[in-house]
Amino acid sequence: MVGAPLNKTSLPSANGTRTTTTLSSNSVLALNTGDPTVFEPFWQKMGDKCDVLIRGSDLMSYYSDKNNVCWFLEPELGDAIKRLHGVVGNAVTDDRHIVLGTGSTQLFQALLYALTAPAASEPDEPVSVVSSAPYYSLYPEMIEILHSGLYKWAGDAYTFNEDGGPYIEVVNSPNNPDGTHREAVVNGDKGKVIYDFAYYWPQYTAITSAADHDIMLFTLSKCTGHAGSRIGWALVKDKDIAEKMTDYIAISSIGVSKESQVRAVKVIGVLCDGCENDGLVESENFFEFSRNLMAKRWQKLREALKHSECFTLSKHPRQHCLFTGEFTKTLPAFAWLKSKEGIEDCNEFLRGLKIAGRGGKAFGVDPIFARVSMLSREDEFNQFIERLVVATKGISNGH
Ligand SMILES: Cc1ncc(COP(=O)(O)O)c(C=O)c1O
């Protein structure tokens, strides 16, 4: 579950800005979800550049382009998505269908349907869906919620007993929760692979090649930070799969909000202009700005845990990034903490510090691990660091 915010002092107002900005030392830090509010300062800097005007008579139809497989995708958004991938260089868009979803969450469910719906009316055995642990905790939740006869969650891809039958493997790279770079591990003849590239953007990782797989998922949520717009897209080679996904979304929500699409076109356009226009100051290049933010946060976190007797963090590689032209560090969206000897439940320990994370079990691994978001607002992040430092000092003082 994404879960409700735990910290009532930070509830957003109707226009999405904070009603209060102070966190008391007693409040629980809700870092259990990856709500990407860290990027708000960039878009605040953009002032009115991303404003959109939508008149009462605009965008009233269900349809956007009846000639397109994904008939509810506004053509301008399709163009903006292609431009974005062209600017970043993280995915091939040629000879692909773009299927739009209400977040990539809906597209994942559309794919489960599209890849398992039988041609005949009688379903076969449910198709196993696997992902290497630690895996994104929502995969099993989304698969199990309906007790579907079409597919079933079969857990960790590393331990999956592939028997020559059909299966689906989900590859999330860089991976939520641990930021590692992933490839498919089962490699059976009848397997279909869904590549979830939610975090394959330059603020989190080096862009090492343009991904060129049959089925790839992306989301605006983790790219620009506009999670509230609920825009995700799939790049799909096979027309039949793209059509089935479109059918699923038509039945589930008859398309995707046109207002959200218009906003996404604007935001992506401003982002691409900022990246392409060398004359602009550094702070107008979203990926430079957001990489710097993430780098500062990771530096603070590593510093805070340097002498910690409670937690360890794994190291992440430095790779050559085709987007920046430099060797860059992986800067994951989540801290994947491992508790040291004597602390059996990392998440419980964090709870004692009034930090709400998500425990290892939800990701298919031991409770000595826990995930904490690195994408919160600045004051929450600073509190997180302060509490880690206090915990470290407390233990070294024998408290
Ligand atoms: C790995 C991964 N995939 C998909 C999503 C879903 O993103 P959205 O539904 O906001 O597009 C998330 C969100 O946290 C994620 O971490």
Side-chain angles (χ1 to χ4, degrees):
M1 287 284 289
V2 170
L6 294 178
N7 183 358
K8 291 207 171 73
T9 61
S10 63
L11 286 176
S13 67
N15 67 4
T17 54
R18 280 268 188 101
T19 48
T20 57
T21 52
T22 46
L23 280 169
S24 84
S25 57
N26 255 340
S27 50
V28 176
L29 296 175
L31 302 179
N32 51 336
T33 73
D35 199 18
T37 44
V38 58
F39 304 127
E40 281 171 353
F42 178 84
W43 299 107
Q44 277 156 5
K45 260 179 196 284
M46 291 300 104
D48 60 6
K49 278 191 184 167
C50 294
D51 289 3
V52 286
L53 175 68
I54 299 173
R55 295 199 168 81
S57 58
D58 290 344
L59 307 169
M60 291 178 65
S61 170
Y62 285 120
Y63 303 100
S64 296
D65 178 2
K66 287 185 181 171
N67 295 319
N68 192 7
V69 168
C70 185
W71 46 263
F72 47 80
L73 168 67
E74 287 290 303
E76 293 77 12
L77 181 54
D79 293 343
I81 288 169
K82 286 185 202 152
R83 181 181 176 205
L84 176 63
H85 286 300
V87 166
V88 175
N90 62 345
V92 175
T93 54
D94 292 343
D95 303 321
R96 258 97 180 158
H97 300 278
I98 299 177
V99 182
L100 195 71
T102 299
S104 65
T105 299
Q106 190 185 33
L107 290 162
F108 182 76
Q109 293 164 53
L111 270 167
L112 292 175
Y113 165 76
L115 298 177
T116 61
S121 56
E122 278 302 302
D124 299 326
E125 274 289 286
V127 174
S128 294
V129 187
V130 296
S131 187
S132 346
Y135 41 72
Y136 175 41
S137 52
L138 242 70
Y139 295 148
E141 288 194 42
M142 287 188 279
I143 289 160
E144 287 174 338
I145 191 166
L146 291 179
H147 300 278
S148 169
L150 296 178
Y151 47 81
K152 64 174 189 221
W153 175 244
D156 186 0
Y158 284 116
T159 56
F160 176 58
N161 187 11
E162 202 265 318
D163 58 3
Y167 70 92
I168 297 171
E169 179 173 353
V170 195
V171 176
N172 180 209
S173 188
N175 188 45
N176 173 0
D178 64 358
T180 54
H181 296 94
R182 296 291 186 88
E183 300 284 349
V185 300
V186 181
N187 298 317
D189 289 342
K190 290 201 180 159
K192 304 249 172 60
V193 186
I194 300 174
Y195 286 86
D196 181 347
F197 285 131
Y199 302 95
Y200 191 40
W201 297 103
Q203 67 268 49
Y204 307 112
T205 185
I207 302 302
T208 52
S209 67
D212 189 12
H213 302 287
D214 290 358
I215 302 170
M216 303 186 277
L217 292 178
F218 291 90
T219 167
L220 197 69
S221 308
K222 306 303 161 109
C223 171
T224 67
H226 291 83
S229 294
R230 310 304 305 123
I231 291 287
W233 60 94
L235 302 179
V236 181
K237 244 188 194 163
D238 186 304
K239 189 175 181 196
D240 184 50
I241 295 175
E243 278 173 348
K244 282 192 175 137
M245 292 175 74
T246 303
D247 289 348
Y248 176 92
I249 291 168
I251 287 168
S252 132
S253 55
I254 324 187
V256 176
S257 159
K258 303 282 188 266
E259 284 83 355
S260 286
Q261 295 191 48
V262 168
R263 185 174 188 212
V265 170
K266 190 72 173 187
V267 164
I268 293 172
V270 169
L271 184 153
C272 290
D273 290 347
C275 293
E276 282 182 337
N277 194 339
D278 282 343
L280 294 177
V281 287
E282 174 247 284
S283 64
E284 298 213 354
N285 181 324
F286 172 75
F287 291 120
E288 232 173 286
F289 182 95
S290 51
R291 254 203 92 71
N292 286 340
L293 265 178
M294 294 301 292
K296 278 186 197 136
R297 287 193 174 191
W298 272 96
Q299 197 182 350
K300 278 189 188 173
L301 179 65
R302 289 202 183 278
E303 193 59 36
L305 295 183
K306 210 158 132 191
H307 304 294
S308 174
E309 294 185 19
C310 313
F311 308 106
T312 56
L313 276 174
S314 50
K315 289 212 164 72
H316 297 109
R318 193 183 271 273
Q319 290 175 299
H320 187 255
C321 176
L322 299 172
F323 176 76
T324 59
E326 293 165 3
F327 276 84
T328 54
K329 281 186 199 157
T330 303
L331 303 165
F334 299 95
W336 184 235
L337 299 173
K338 184 178 178 190
S339 52
K340 287 195 170 171
E341 231 183 297
I343 304 173
E344 276 165 25
D345 190 323
C346 190
N347 205 41
E348 265 310 300
F349 189 82
L350 286 169
R351 199 179 291 277
L353 305 176
K354 294 198 184 295
I355 298 167
R358 199 175 289 179
K361 266 182 115 173
F363 305 93
V365 295
D366 202 276
I368 56 169
F369 291 97
R371 190 198 77 172
V372 179
S373 173
M374 293 289 281
L375 303 182
S376 64
R377 293 189 175 95
E378 194 68 6
D379 53 350
E380 287 164 312
F381 178 76
N382 289 336
Q383 273 280 332
F384 166 51
I385 297 295
E386 262 176 48
R387 290 180 196 189
L388 289 180
V389 170
V390 167
T392 300
K393 280 191 186 144
I395 286 204
S396 60
N397 292 341
H399 297 157

